[in-house]
Amino acid sequence: VQLVESGGGSVPAGGSLRLTCTASGFSFDGYGIGWFRQVSGNRREGVSCISGTDGISYYGDSAKGRFTVSSDPADHTVYLQMNNLKPEDTAVYYCARMRLYGSRCYMYYYEYDTWGQGTQVTVSS
């Protein structure tokens, strides 16, 4: 089981980035894929998650209205489209896998058992 993030980079405020999480070793059904971010020294913040069972997505307050998560189960890929980026979005972004209880995913980091290596997003003012 492996998750690999890509697509991070440096953009000015107001810009956009699309992060990609490529999964291997498991099928999405029965699992949720979450996006988290972390600034050095702080705890990981849940950004969004998407259920691999029903495709329903959920967002943290910081992401609502600006970020969109989507998945392509056939391609084992989850995307996080981030628009109108702000300097406070600067962080390392991680994707992670959680086993679903029912069909709903949650953004509690301790529910996730597999993590990618992270990708840096830097937003300049």
Side-chain angles (χ1 to χ4, degrees), residues 5 8 19 35-40 43-45 47 88-95 115-122:
E5 304 93 338
L19 305 184
W35 285 98
F36 293 78
R37 66 187 185 186
Q38 186 173 28
V39 177
S40 179
R43 67 176 178 86
R44 291 187 181 183
E45 174 191 1
V47 175
E88 51 263 43
D89 294 318
T90 295
V92 178
Y93 284 71
Y94 300 87
C95 65
W115 293 79
Q117 83 289 350
T119 186
Q120 176 71 46
V121 171
T122 302

